[in-house]
Amino acid sequence: MEQAKKIVDAVSYLEEFTPSKKEPLSHPIKVGMIPTIAPYLLPKLLPNINNRYPSAQLTVIEEQSHRLVDLVKRGEIDTAILALPYDCDGLLCLEFWEEDFYWITLKSSIKKPVKKIKSKEIDQSSLMLLNEGHCLKDHILDACHFQQQSESNHFGATSLTTIVQMVLGGLGTTLIPKMSLKTLTDQNDQLSSIHLNEPGPHRKIAFIIRPNYTRTNCIDTLITLCKKSL
């Protein structure tokens, strides 16, 4: 298995120097993304890629962070976009974005409009977060200085879309990253989004690659396009 990986890396290295492969994204590239990034970045990123590099051959794999780290390490995908902090030991992390969290609640539950909220003002018992295994949950708990949620406070949600619908149904409140704010709240005038007033950024976004990855020009191009899209 290790020998096969070395052969694949060697072939990739040689392809870098062939005339037909010189333009960034002119060869197939597999990019992993976590579920709390993919639905909100891709609608902005893909049009920019298609406009600038119409012949780009991009494959996107949506998985949780631990799975993507493993795939990158094994060379099964070229790179992945993760939210930091996260354990990426042995890989290079190329940060390109940072953002804060916003508290989402029903407007009818707020006595007076506010623009910011401290974590101590949030009722943790009614705070709905993603299931275990999603790094966003850990990032939110860290940003709020909350202890791990109790077993009785599990809501079984695996997507932010589901949790926001639960907020609309009056089941509780939640926290979401700024990247997802427009998509998840703009069409719901019953919701209020309030900036979490805790030291930030609350999470950083980065590409991860293997130290010996040769197509760094492709990653540089994707980073530029991501920044433009966001």
Side-chain angles (χ1 to χ4, degrees):
M1 181 67 181
E2 185 63 27
Q3 185 63 28
K5 182 179 178 299
K6 289 181 180 178
I7 293 172
V8 170
D9 288 342
V11 171
S12 297
Y13 180 82
L14 291 173
E15 284 181 342
E16 273 299 285
F17 299 97
T18 61
S20 61
K21 301 295 182 180
K22 284 185 177 179
E23 186 177 21
L25 307 183
S26 59
H27 53 74
I29 183 170
K30 293 182 179 180
V31 181
M33 294 188 191
I34 57 176
T36 58
I37 290 179
Y40 316 110
L41 175 59
L42 285 175
K44 303 171 184 177
L45 175 63
L46 292 179
N48 283 330
I49 291 177
N50 291 332
N51 288 337
R52 180 65 181 84
Y53 302 99
S55 61
Q57 302 177 59
L58 186 72
T59 300
V60 177
I61 295 94
E62 186 181 67
E63 282 281 2
Q64 290 187 19
S65 299
H66 71 279
R67 174 69 176 146
L68 293 178
V69 167
D70 184 53
L71 291 173
V72 172
K73 285 184 176 180
R74 294 190 305 184
E76 295 187 25
I77 61 176
D78 296 276
T79 184
I81 300 177
L82 301 186
L84 304 178
Y86 194 81
D87 182 10
C88 299
D89 187 43
L91 298 174
L92 299 180
C93 295
L94 308 174
E95 296 179 14
F96 66 91
W97 192 254
E98 54 187 37
E99 59 184 350
D100 284 351
F101 297 140
Y102 285 74
W103 184 56
I104 308 302
T105 188
L106 288 172
K107 286 181 178 177
S108 59
S109 68
I110 301 177
K111 294 180 180 178
K112 62 178 182 179
V114 292
K115 293 183 177 181
K116 296 183 178 181
I117 188 170
K118 299 290 289 185
S119 59
K120 64 183 180 181
E121 301 174 86
I122 298 174
D123 179 6
Q124 190 180 357
S125 66
S126 64
L127 185 65
M128 299 181 293
L129 303 178
L130 295 175
N131 282 348
E132 295 295 334
H134 290 272
C135 59
L136 179 62
K137 178 176 181 176
D138 295 327
H139 292 159
I140 288 172
L141 293 176
D142 287 344
C144 293
H145 311 290
F146 287 155
Q147 298 298 315
Q148 191 70 18
Q149 287 190 309
S150 66
E151 292 297 323
S152 61
N153 202 16
H154 284 179
F155 296 88
T158 60
S159 76
L160 292 177
T161 300
T162 298
I163 287 185
V164 169
Q165 289 302 313
M166 292 160 73
V167 175
L168 278 167
L171 299 181
T173 69
T174 194
L175 284 155
I176 64 175
K178 184 178 181 180
M179 185 186 297
S180 66
L181 200 58
K182 185 176 179 66
T183 302
L184 293 176
T185 65
D186 268 16
Q187 303 304 315
N188 297 306
D189 57 9
Q190 301 174 57
L191 295 176
S192 184
S193 57
I194 301 170
H195 179 240
L196 177 65
N197 188 19
E198 297 292 343
H202 300 146
R203 72 171 187 172
K204 297 180 180 180
I205 311 301
F207 280 87
I208 59 170
I209 57 173
R210 300 184 303 281
N212 61 346
Y213 187 71
T214 58
R215 296 171 180 152
T216 53
N217 64 326
C218 293
I219 307 303
D220 291 339
T221 298
L222 286 173
I223 286 175
T224 299
L225 290 168
C226 284
K227 287 181 176 179
K228 179 182 178 182
S229 301
L230 292 168

